[in-house]
Amino acid sequence: MFNEDENLLAILGPTNTGKTYIAFEKLLNYSSGIFGFPLRLLARENYDKAVKLLGLQNVALITGEEKILPKESKYFFCTVESIPTNKVVDCVIIDEIQLAADYERGHIFTDRLLNLRGTYETIFLGSMTISDVLKKLFPKINIQQQNRFSNLSYLPKQNFSKLKPRSAIIAFNINKVYEIAENLRIHKGGAAVVLGSLSPRTRNAQVEMYENNKVDYLVATDAIGMGLNLNINHVSFSTLEKFDGRYNRNLLPNEIGQIAGRAGRYKKDGTFSFIKEVGSVDPMIIQSVENHKFEQIQKIYWRNSDVNFTSVKSVISSLKQFPITNLFIHKKNAIDEINFKTLADDKDIKYYLTSPVNIKLLWQISQVPDFEKIFNDNYINFLKNLFLILLKNNYKIPEDWLNNKISKLENFIGGIPELSIKISQIRTWTYISNHHKWLDNPIYWQEKTQKIENNLSDNLHKGLTNKFVDSSSRYFLDSYDKENIEKIEINSNNEVILDGIKYGFIHGFDIKLNKNSFSHSLFSFTHVKKFIRNMIEEKVSNFINAPEESISFGDISKIQFDKDIKLYWGDEAVGIVTKGSKIYSPLVESYNSEFLSSEKKLLISAKLQNWLDKEISSLLSPIKDKIDEDISSKIRAITFNCFENLGLFPVEDFKEYLKDMTSDDKSKLSKFGIRIGARYFFMPKLLKKKQIELKALLWLIYNEFKIKENLPLPKDGRVSFTSPIKMPESYWQSIGYKCINKFAFRLDVFEKIFFIARKKIKYGPFLESSELMNPIGCNSDQLKDILLFCDYECVSLSDTKKIYFFKTVKKNSNVRNIKKIKNNMKKTKKKTIVKSDPNSPFAVLEKLL
């Protein structure tokens, strides 16, 4: 057929047959060799094993994200995609060769199956399902069938609560994995998590936690099915449906067998089951899994690997070439092919695609993995930018550009989603740094990116452990009969005391632990937490039944505005307030606590949300009320804007409408509590102390504004105050104030001053007076700022008093005349009589002087 090689060996069989062990031993019997694995994790695991036996200088590791290539290396442990095809070695081994039938990666495995050979021996490892294909391709191949060391048997359906220790639960959705892990944390003490998207370091740390019996349960995707040899007694499937990159489909029997086969190790028997939600399962499938008998693979994926880079068309033509046997399925539209076609059509790239070198570079860039799985224009734009950067910099990535991208990922703080995203991003740069021709200093960047990935992975492991492992789990109860634990006490300071040791103090629905005071007894610590858990359950019940008056924002003068705004139950913070869809509709969430179940947390959050909604509705009524649809559109617009801006809105946009407003319209606005000022619509009811403080908090929350100083607010109901703190204009307007030159004044009182000024100006220019200053509590200079804001001008007289006049078109001549009067007064130190029109502003000025 394709190859008449007589040195081909296939070692086939189900899981737990020792295939990898046999192949590893065979490899080391040769003076050189290549071992290709389906996962970076497995390549690294076997590389480490080989290093211990052969020494660092003799062993190489090659994966997309990691390259360790000593000059004297004789043995190469690789991912299948990264196998060097130009190496001549005695022995070549390809693991999980049945993946040649995989839709995404099959064509790579097929290429290695057909074209990669050891000088003396080539070995394929995998499932018996690939045997027919191998026989048809290579009639002289020697197939060695391995039988499983232990039995695998089916157990009736059971719930998670019935699962025994050393069990693995399988799910195919990250949210479902986390949900199951959380369930196990609550009821079983915790679980390790294994996902394909985790970095190898994080995955290893989670597996180690399980293997070292720190947890008794493992929650995993089908990533567990590829070569992870764990001490699992039982595998339970939470679903038999998965998304394979194209659509949701049911697992094939051989896929179930691959995963279920992880139960049992060496000669220890294993079991598998399905939870009740899975529904009925065909007995024939169960029998196939137990007996490891599955349908033979009929065809495998193939794509021409001899690509012609003469032109873009020649590349595409190479990829379109059809296989010469019906055993192969022509692989179309692989991710790298789609990327290449998309990029080659880009107008900014086409210009450079005139040489085989550039076309080959574009093909290499098209094969950069999408570790983030974003599948959108961002990924294509990233590849495009990478190509252009290389082309414009003599085929090298500038170190400043690369450092700018990578340095952003050196922040190792964050939650599980954030750290997972950062790991996927740094894995991209780790992959790129291993392409030596693209960097001037590849070793430096390999070490740097690997270090960042390791730090992120360690923090992600800690995050997963903290979230899904309860340190008071049943596992730590081994010393139950050996300990003599006194009664746990809670003193008046809410401190938790056991045998005279202070373990921490209760705060809200959590405990702040004093880690320096832990007893060496694991049980005592567990007993403390178990007691606290029961106590907090009771405390939650008390909170749920407590009167709503017991909830508050706390003492507003003590709120730290550079941190989250909290809600208090008595003196204890129990929740945080976050931005909602509208400024008057914030959201509340209970604090996270390992002592709170998801259900209790929801109940606490619901009670807090209900209190806050009522508080806003009560103090800021009627801004949350539905606006009557029967009123005119203009009145609705005014009302809507007032409500959306917490009771105050400039009249500027409605000036023309206000001239023709009917008394009926004014009456309707009045029913909403809205008053019409010269400059603002305002709601007097919302300008009281409690309302102002609540509105200030709502503004901070909605705008996610942080300040380290105390919030500028009026004290004791003052209508004005001096504020050295600079705040946005929207803040002052939200609380119903205006701030000019650090002097803040309430806008309803401002409207009163403005009204008095308008009455006075009817009779001409007027002097400042207590009538203008006393209501708002300002001095002469502050009054000047206020009246300037009202479009008045002023001139200071000899006795330091100021005279005000309205800004007009003839302002300049008026000012000159007033200044002339003032200068004459200075010269003569006598009252100057100015003869003018008795009805002019200057006639009034004469009387005043």
Side-chain angles (χ1 to χ4, degrees):
M1 192 60 188
F2 266 83
N3 197 312
E4 296 298 327
D5 290 343
E6 296 182 359
N7 65 347
L8 291 181
L9 170 65
I11 305 175
L12 307 179
T15 56
N16 192 25
T17 58
K19 299 188 298 291
T20 306
Y21 175 82
I22 294 170
F24 188 90
E25 292 295 314
K26 280 181 170 288
L27 182 75
L28 299 193
N29 286 331
Y30 290 99
S31 60
S32 62
I34 291 174
F35 206 142
F37 294 91
L39 299 175
R40 172 189 176 192
L41 177 69
L42 297 176
R44 181 78 205 204
E45 179 184 307
N46 284 274
Y47 163 80
D48 291 339
K49 182 180 174 182
V51 165
K52 290 178 182 178
L53 294 172
L54 304 173
L56 273 171
Q57 295 305 311
N58 294 312
V59 187
L61 175 68
I62 308 176
T63 69
E65 302 157 63
E66 198 170 9
K67 286 188 181 179
I68 303 173
L69 282 168
K71 290 182 180 179
E72 296 84 8
S73 53
K74 300 290 192 298
Y75 301 92
F76 302 84
F77 292 83
C78 320
T79 50
V80 171
E81 283 84 350
S82 300
I83 291 175
T85 55
N86 59 345
K87 295 284 182 184
V88 177
V89 294
D90 292 347
C91 179
V92 168
I93 303 172
I94 308 296
D95 192 19
E96 303 292 358
I97 196 64
Q98 76 276 2
L99 287 178
D102 180 72
Y103 177 78
E104 293 293 336
R105 304 171 67 196
H107 62 286
I108 305 292
F109 280 79
T110 299
D111 180 70
R112 304 300 184 257
L113 177 73
L114 299 177
N115 301 318
L116 196 64
R117 293 291 180 268
T119 303
Y120 296 108
E121 189 170 27
T122 302
I123 303 173
F124 305 131
L125 309 180
S127 166
M128 281 299 298
T129 57
I130 195 70
S131 61
D132 282 1
V133 169
L134 292 178
K135 289 175 184 177
K136 290 176 183 177
L137 286 175
F138 314 113
K140 294 185 180 181
I141 190 170
N142 177 21
I143 293 181
Q144 178 180 319
Q145 182 174 349
Q146 291 292 117
N147 294 320
R148 186 176 163 90
F149 290 131
S150 62
N151 294 321
L152 180 66
S153 55
Y154 171 72
L155 290 180
K157 292 180 179 179
Q158 52 187 202
N159 293 326
F160 292 140
S161 59
K162 301 288 181 66
L163 288 177
K164 292 183 179 180
R166 316 314 296 163
S167 291
I169 300 90
I170 309 302
F172 298 98
N173 175 289
I174 189 169
N175 292 328
K176 189 66 176 177
V177 168
Y178 288 163
E179 179 187 326
I180 294 170
E182 175 69 10
N183 186 302
L184 290 171
R185 185 192 72 82
I186 295 170
H187 298 102
K188 299 288 187 179
V193 173
V194 174
L195 301 164
S197 60
L198 294 181
S199 67
R201 188 180 179 94
T202 304
R203 218 181 317 174
N204 281 343
Q206 288 287 301
V207 166
E208 183 181 358
M209 184 170 64
Y210 174 81
E211 289 289 273
N212 291 339
N213 294 319
K214 292 182 180 179
V215 291
D216 268 338
Y217 299 90
L218 183 73
V219 188
T221 62
D222 51 352
I224 196 178
M226 289 289 175
L228 285 176
N229 295 312
L230 305 173
N231 285 306
I232 298 172
N233 295 339
H234 179 76
V235 170
S236 177
F237 290 83
S238 67
T239 180
L240 290 180
E241 187 179 82
K242 67 173 286 187
F243 180 72
D244 67 358
R246 293 177 293 168
Y247 48 79
N248 284 317
R249 63 170 177 83
N250 290 328
L251 291 177
L252 299 173
N254 63 298
E255 291 173 323
I256 298 173
Q258 180 82 16
I259 299 167
R262 293 300 159 193
R265 189 168 187 181
Y266 193 42
K267 295 186 178 181
K268 186 175 182 180
D269 293 341
T271 56
F272 69 100
S273 67
F274 312 101
I275 66 168
K276 291 182 178 179
E277 286 77 4
V278 170
S280 59
V281 180
D282 188 342
M284 294 301 293
I285 292 178
I286 294 173
Q287 186 177 345
S288 295
V289 174
E290 287 182 321
N291 298 326
H292 321 295
K293 301 291 184 183
F294 305 106
E295 288 185 9
Q296 285 287 313
I297 293 171
Q298 300 301 315
K299 295 187 178 185
I300 57 178
Y301 284 93
W302 178 90
R303 185 178 74 179
N304 177 31
S305 58
D306 186 15
V307 181
N308 182 347
F309 294 104
T310 304
S311 66
V312 171
K313 286 185 178 179
S314 69
V315 171
I316 296 172
S317 295
S318 297
L319 299 175
K320 285 183 177 180
Q321 183 176 325
F322 275 84
I324 61 174
T325 172
N326 60 7
L327 278 176
F328 298 148
I329 303 170
H330 182 215
K331 175 59 181 174
K332 301 176 183 177
N333 296 322
I335 295 298
D336 53 4
E337 182 179 347
I338 293 172
N339 292 343
F340 181 81
K341 289 177 180 178
T342 303
L343 293 169
D345 283 338
D346 189 285
K347 62 180 181 180
D348 296 328
I349 290 178
K350 275 186 178 181
Y351 172 78
Y352 297 99
L353 302 180
T354 55
S355 69
V357 172
N358 291 355
I359 294 170
K360 187 172 184 178
L361 175 64
L362 185 64
W363 176 245
Q364 291 172 338
I365 285 174
S366 298
Q367 293 180 310
V368 173
D370 178 19
F371 290 106
E372 292 185 67
K373 303 299 180 187
I374 47 182
F375 296 117
N376 58 26
D377 291 344
N378 290 338
Y379 174 47
I380 291 297
N381 286 336
F382 167 74
L383 299 181
K384 172 183 174 179
N385 291 335
L386 182 60
F387 177 78
L388 294 176
I389 283 286
L390 286 165
L391 261 292
K392 294 174 182 178
N393 291 275
N394 197 27
Y395 301 101
K396 296 290 183 181
I397 297 176
E399 299 219 342
D400 289 345
W401 183 82
L402 183 59
N403 186 62
N404 181 52
K405 299 288 185 182
I406 290 176
S407 60
K408 296 175 182 178
L409 302 174
E410 290 188 276
N411 180 356
F412 309 125
I413 300 172
I416 292 172
E418 184 181 353
L419 289 171
S420 297
I421 290 171
K422 286 181 179 179
I423 288 173
S424 64
Q425 291 172 338
I426 197 62
R427 289 180 74 183
T428 300
W429 297 115
T430 305
Y431 178 92
I432 289 172
S433 68
N434 279 280
H435 285 69
H436 291 203
K437 294 181 180 179
W438 293 358
L439 297 168
D440 285 323
N441 191 359
I443 302 300
Y444 168 79
W445 291 108
Q446 288 168 24
E447 292 175 351
K448 184 177 180 66
T449 55
Q450 190 63 60
K451 183 178 179 181
I452 294 173
E453 182 181 328
N454 289 345
N455 286 327
L456 288 169
S457 298
D458 290 343
N459 279 277
L460 179 58
H461 169 62
K462 290 177 184 176
L464 290 169
T465 304
N466 291 337
K467 184 170 180 62
F468 299 125
V469 178
D470 183 351
S471 54
S472 66
S473 63
R474 180 207 54 76
Y475 167 73
F476 293 111
L477 300 178
D478 291 344
S479 56
Y480 184 88
D481 295 327
K482 303 175 185 177
E483 301 290 342
N484 180 21
I485 305 299
E486 298 291 334
K487 182 181 178 182
I488 298 171
E489 296 179 358
I490 309 292
N491 66 16
S492 58
N493 295 323
N494 272 349
E495 292 176 316
V496 181
I497 301 174
L498 172 64
D499 289 341
I501 299 173
K502 294 179 181 178
Y503 276 74
F505 66 94
I506 302 294
H507 184 75
F509 304 114
D510 205 356
I511 180 172
K512 304 294 182 183
L513 295 170
N514 178 10
K515 296 183 179 179
N516 296 325
S517 299
F518 287 169
S519 165
H520 292 293
S521 166
L522 288 173
F523 170 76
S524 62
F525 180 41
T526 302
H527 198 74
V528 168
K529 297 187 77 173
K530 184 177 179 181
F531 175 85
I532 292 168
R533 189 182 298 280
N534 294 334
M535 192 205 77
I536 286 179
E537 287 283 336
E538 183 180 350
K539 192 173 183 180
V540 169
S541 298
N542 292 338
F543 170 76
I544 299 300
N545 296 316
E548 292 188 344
E549 292 76 14
S550 61
I551 302 172
S552 70
F553 279 105
D555 186 346
I556 196 168
S557 65
K558 295 179 181 178
I559 292 178
Q560 295 176 296
F561 297 104
D562 58 337
K563 298 181 179 177
D564 293 327
I565 304 298
K566 305 178 182 68
L567 285 186
Y568 291 82
W569 180 36
D571 296 328
E572 296 179 305
V574 291
I576 57 172
V577 188
T578 58
K579 179 179 179 178
S581 59
K582 293 180 180 293
I583 192 170
Y584 51 74
S585 300
L587 303 175
V588 187
E589 184 176 357
S590 166
Y591 274 113
N592 286 323
S593 168
E594 63 176 288
F595 300 101
L596 291 178
S597 65
S598 298
E599 180 184 359
K600 295 295 185 184
K601 185 179 176 183
L602 285 173
L603 287 173
I604 294 167
S605 299
K607 184 177 178 73
L608 293 172
Q609 186 72 60
N610 185 58
W611 173 84
L612 182 56
D613 290 344
K614 285 184 177 179
E615 187 78 356
I616 294 171
S617 295
S618 173
L619 289 177
L620 304 185
S621 176
I623 67 169
K624 294 191 76 170
D625 294 350
K626 186 177 181 181
I627 302 173
D628 191 350
E629 294 182 359
D630 294 336
I631 61 177
S632 69
S633 60
K634 289 290 185 181
I635 296 299
R636 281 176 60 81
I638 292 171
T639 305
F640 174 81
N641 281 291
C642 281
F643 287 2
E644 292 292 308
N645 291 276
L646 301 182
L648 190 129
F649 191 71
V651 302
E652 184 67 30
D653 293 342
F654 297 93
K655 268 189 173 182
E656 293 301 318
Y657 172 70
L658 290 177
K659 293 177 183 179
D660 303 321
M661 181 179 280
T662 65
S663 58
D664 183 53
D665 286 341
K666 292 178 181 179
S667 174
K668 288 177 179 176
L669 279 180
S670 180
K671 286 181 180 179
F672 286 113
I674 299 171
R675 301 290 180 266
I676 305 171
R679 287 291 179 91
Y680 296 95
F681 298 106
F682 60 93
M683 300 175 71
K685 181 182 176 182
L686 305 189
L687 295 173
K688 299 175 182 178
K689 182 176 184 295
K690 280 189 175 181
Q691 284 79 356
I692 290 173
E693 290 177 347
L694 177 57
K695 291 194 296 179
L697 293 176
L698 292 178
W699 182 90
L700 281 175
I701 294 163
Y702 187 75
N703 290 279
E704 300 177 325
F705 193 81
K706 306 289 184 184
I707 57 171
K708 292 187 177 180
E709 301 89 350
N710 287 330
L711 197 62
L713 285 169
K715 295 180 180 178
D716 305 321
R718 294 179 184 175
V719 298
S720 66
F721 63 98
T722 301
S723 171
I725 302 171
K726 188 175 181 181
M727 295 291 287
E729 179 66 24
S730 61
Y731 166 77
W732 295 111
Q733 184 170 304
S734 71
I735 66 170
Y737 276 68
K738 175 75 178 176
C739 187
I740 303 177
N741 289 335
K742 300 181 181 179
F743 181 67
F745 47 90
R746 212 168 72 194
L747 285 169
D748 62 330
V749 183
F750 157 76
E751 289 286 359
K752 181 178 179 181
I753 301 304
F754 196 7
F755 175 75
I756 295 172
R758 283 183 290 137
K759 285 177 63 177
K760 286 179 174 290
I761 200 66
K762 288 180 181 179
Y763 303 100
F766 57 89
L767 289 171
E768 65 185 19
S769 65
S770 59
E771 183 184 8
L772 291 166
M773 290 186 280
N774 288 348
I776 208 163
C778 65
N779 59 32
S780 175
D781 290 335
Q782 290 164 343
L783 178 65
K784 175 185 174 182
D785 290 334
I786 293 171
L787 292 179
L788 288 177
F789 174 66
C790 297
D791 295 328
Y792 289 91
E793 295 274 1
C794 82
V795 172
S796 295
L797 304 179
S798 58
D799 58 357
T800 71
K801 280 201 171 187
K802 298 179 181 66
I803 186 168
Y804 291 90
F805 53 91
F806 195 69
K807 190 187 296 182
T808 65
V809 177
K810 296 181 179 181
K811 178 185 73 172
N812 292 336
S813 60
N814 288 341
V815 171
R816 282 197 297 272
N817 289 335
I818 293 174
K819 286 183 177 179
K820 187 174 181 180
I821 295 170
K822 182 180 174 184
N823 291 334
N824 289 337
M825 289 175 62
K826 287 182 179 179
K827 289 178 182 178
T828 62
K829 295 185 180 180
K830 295 180 181 180
K831 294 181 179 179
T832 303
I833 300 174
V834 180
K835 291 183 180 181
S836 60
D837 185 344
N839 296 317
S840 74
F842 304 103
V844 179
L845 175 62
E846 180 181 0
K847 294 176 183 178
L848 292 171
L849 295 174

